[in-house]
Amino acid sequence: LPLEAVVNHFTTYSHNFWLNRATPRLHPSNGAKASTYAHYMLLSDSIRPYYTLPLAPRIVSTVLRFRLGAHCLPVCRDRHQTIPRAQRVCRKCDSGIVGDELHMVYECTHLHGLRTQYNHLFTPNMSMKEFFCQSDQHGVARFIHCALYHMDTP
């Protein structure tokens, strides 16, 4: 069997495995990170990967960490302290919602001004996958970089 066929089969199988599971918000703590990646971060084959764009290395690093779940949001930071996922709430707003990737991109009132600044990236009822797969990958990367900076500073 050619290596490409094996890689394609594995990729399809693993994507389908996670996409057929509960969304990250409904997933128990164990496995939520993989579910987050599958439901939110998988890029379409037609999208030029952000790491090939002419962006500052610090922006690429921030986006990589965000997409891999190695960032400053409570959903990631509190995981290492074995705090149950439902109790990893956002510390920047008073919503009481889990401070996850979806909350940062769409819901956190602390980032309302930033979302207004990048309003060309947002359309009504846009999913996380649609947000990450849109053509303006420069804008998406810059928004993620700025949002994580705001979420990590006092």
Side-chain angles (χ1 to χ4, degrees):
L1 256 144
L3 179 60
E4 185 177 338
V6 173
V7 169
N8 287 339
H9 175 73
F10 176 75
T11 302
T12 301
Y13 174 80
S14 62
H15 291 179
N16 289 336
F17 176 83
W18 286 108
L19 288 174
N20 291 327
R21 298 296 186 268
T23 61
R25 288 251 171 114
L26 300 175
H27 209 286
S29 293
N30 189 14
K33 193 172 181 181
S35 178
T36 298
Y37 185 81
H39 284 275
Y40 296 166
M41 309 294 178
L42 278 177
L43 292 177
S44 163
D45 291 338
S46 64
I47 299 298
R48 181 176 173 193
Y50 53 89
Y51 53 82
T52 66
L53 299 173
L55 292 165
R58 71 187 194 301
I59 294 175
V60 173
S61 174
T62 300
V63 174
L64 278 169
R65 284 184 293 122
F66 182 77
R67 290 175 48 82
L68 294 172
H71 46 66
C72 63
L73 299 179
V75 74
C76 181
R77 184 179 285 168
D78 295 349
R79 178 172 51 93
H80 302 293
Q81 299 169 6
T82 64
I83 296 171
R85 185 175 175 81
Q87 295 174 16
R88 301 176 202 168
V89 297
C90 180
R91 295 178 190 98
K92 294 293 183 175
C93 68
D94 59 0
S95 67
I97 296 174
V98 172
D100 62 6
E101 297 85 356
L102 180 69
H103 178 71
M104 184 192 86
V105 172
Y106 290 116
E107 302 167 343
C108 186
T109 56
H110 181 71
L111 297 177
H112 176 73
L114 187 64
R115 280 190 292 277
T116 301
Q117 182 181 343
Y118 285 89
N119 69 348
H120 66 283
L121 298 176
F122 297 92
T123 58
N125 303 315
M126 175 184 263
S127 71
M128 282 287 279
K129 189 167 279 197
E130 290 169 329
F131 177 79
F132 279 102
C133 289
Q134 61 186 297
S135 59
D136 186 2
Q137 290 292 293
H138 283 95
V140 170
R142 287 188 182 99
F143 172 80
I144 296 300
H145 179 74
C146 291
L148 280 174
Y149 173 79
H150 286 289
M151 297 303 276
D152 200 31
T153 55

